[in-house]
Amino acid sequence: MKKILLTGSNGLLGQKLVQLILKQGEYELIATARGENRLPILESGKGTYRNLDVTNREEVLQVMTAFKPDYVIHTAAMTNVDQCESEREGCWKLNVDAVQYLAEACTAHNAFLLHLSTDFIFDGAAGPYDENAEAKPLSYYGESKLAAEEILLQSTNLRWAIARTILVYGIAHDMSRSNIILWVKNSLEGQKSIKVVDDQWRTPTLAEDLAMGCYLIVKHEATGLFNISGKDMLTPWEMANQTADFFNLDKSFMTRADSSTFTQPAKRPARTGFIITKAEQQLGYQPHSFTEGIAIVAEQAKAFSKSN
């Protein structure tokens, strides 16, 4: 059985990948993250967990030598866009240096490297984008993710793929961050007024869909760039309205706003969104609609509230 080594297994995408890989049963899984494992399924004896700091080159090389994986799926990253502006050194270490170390280790062990990237490498002037669009990041986060892509694009003797994604949402164990669906639901249920942006466009991505996209890339050993996102182009205001309608909540607590209302350290691209034709045709990737995604998150929220 071939081995997959996963970084960032405690994160939202990481947890979904752990569940998917173990459920499919086609690969041996080595899940890694910084700190203790947060996922109960790994404590049941399925898969292996290893503490790994991907910003430590020696640690990366040691773990790769110990496990000799056939594939590495690299999801660990600093993704808080404003934090990346204020903590630039830490951002570069995690988003760029770690990719360099993993690329070196994968080349040495002839492992396939799948790296996760973002729509924030674009300036948002001409979305939705295909895989060949020219990158022009507006933020330090975007710059760091583009620099990481360049490491793979310029590599030799490395089998690699990049999965770019957009605004990932979902629910996982012990999550410190919310998502737009739960934020709107909890705010309106608590009769709390919220301002929602209506001048930014995205193709929001259900975490399960992104996990499946990554799995398909590995399964097909598909090299190169792939856009892996949702298929619906929406503003956060439209997402909030669909969420309120799904849960039959009072929308009078919602106010439409534009980006200038909010003071944020990092610039956001106005209109991104992805054209996912390549992933559909080459991988058989089929994402859910945003409405279907709301229903899936709603079911998971119920299950989590019962188990806690």
Side-chain angles (χ1 to χ4, degrees):
M1 193 180 279
K2 289 188 173 182
K3 300 176 188 174
I4 295 175
L5 186 142
L6 172 68
T7 73
S9 64
N10 282 333
L12 175 57
L13 173 59
Q15 291 193 28
K16 300 301 182 184
L17 274 163
V18 168
Q19 292 163 351
L20 177 61
I21 292 164
L22 293 180
K23 181 184 173 187
Q24 295 290 337
E26 293 181 285
Y27 301 95
E28 185 181 331
L29 175 66
I30 303 103
T32 72
R34 202 184 307 196
E36 296 300 310
N37 167 49
R38 290 187 205 156
L39 199 52
I41 194 169
L42 281 169
E43 293 165 7
S44 65
K46 291 182 177 181
T48 302
Y49 181 80
R50 175 74 178 259
N51 185 330
L52 173 62
D53 176 2
V54 288
T55 67
N56 183 319
R57 184 173 180 271
E58 290 308 311
E59 230 177 282
V60 169
L61 293 171
Q62 284 169 8
V63 168
M64 288 290 290
T65 302
F67 290 101
K68 294 184 173 57
D70 301 279
Y71 309 95
V72 173
I73 304 177
H74 178 46
T75 77
M78 185 185 286
T79 57
N80 184 314
V81 185
D82 294 323
Q83 184 185 6
C84 288
E85 292 293 328
S86 58
E87 299 175 22
R88 294 192 169 202
E89 187 179 346
C91 167
W92 198 264
K93 277 184 180 176
L94 189 50
N95 291 356
V96 186
D97 292 344
V99 178
Q100 181 69 56
Y101 305 151
L102 286 164
E104 288 174 17
C106 285
T107 302
H109 292 280
N110 193 30
F112 181 100
L113 175 58
L114 170 56
H115 170 65
L116 270 291
S117 194
T118 173
D119 60 321
F120 274 45
I121 64 167
F122 298 109
D123 63 8
Y129 295 95
D130 66 14
E131 285 82 357
N132 299 316
E134 185 184 354
K136 289 180 183 174
L138 298 178
S139 62
Y140 195 74
Y141 168 68
E143 287 177 26
S144 72
K145 296 300 283 186
L146 181 58
E149 286 197 11
E150 289 296 330
I151 290 169
L152 302 193
L153 286 161
Q154 293 170 12
S155 64
T156 54
N157 302 319
L158 173 66
R159 292 176 301 131
W160 61 266
I162 293 168
R164 292 174 177 158
T165 195
I166 297 178
L167 194 63
V168 182
Y169 66 93
I171 294 183
H173 288 273
D174 191 21
M175 290 299 294
S176 57
R177 292 168 69 177
S178 185
N179 62 68
I180 190 162
I181 294 169
L182 294 183
W183 174 64
V184 171
K185 178 178 182 284
N186 294 338
S187 298
L188 299 188
E189 282 177 346
Q191 298 189 334
K192 180 184 172 186
S193 296
I194 55 173
K195 288 182 178 179
V196 191
V197 168
D198 196 31
D199 62 349
Q200 292 179 358
W201 287 261
R202 305 285 185 262
T203 45
T205 312
L206 180 67
E208 279 81 359
D209 287 340
L210 179 55
M212 180 54 78
C214 292
Y215 187 84
L216 290 169
I217 288 171
V218 166
K219 187 172 181 178
H220 293 287
E221 294 193 25
T223 57
L225 291 161
F226 290 91
N227 288 341
I228 306 287
S229 76
K231 57 187 176 182
D232 299 331
M233 179 76 103
L234 301 164
T235 67
W237 173 255
E238 289 168 332
M239 297 175 213
N241 270 282
Q242 287 191 28
T243 301
D245 289 340
F246 181 88
F247 293 106
N248 197 26
L249 297 170
D250 183 356
K251 291 194 271 190
S252 67
F253 292 96
M254 285 171 30
T255 306
R256 189 192 306 240
D258 62 50
S259 306
S260 62
T261 311
F262 303 93
T263 306
Q264 296 170 309
K267 278 187 176 179
R268 270 69 169 170
R271 179 187 288 267
T272 63
F274 281 153
I275 296 163
I276 57 172
T277 309
K278 181 181 177 182
E280 290 172 330
Q281 292 178 350
Q282 293 190 20
L283 305 174
Y285 175 66
Q286 294 180 308
H288 293 82
S289 70
F290 187 68
T291 305
E292 291 168 339
I294 296 170
I296 289 166
V297 169
E299 281 302 310
Q300 291 174 351
K302 268 190 211 170
F304 271 99
S305 63
K306 284 177 185 174
S307 63
N308 291 335

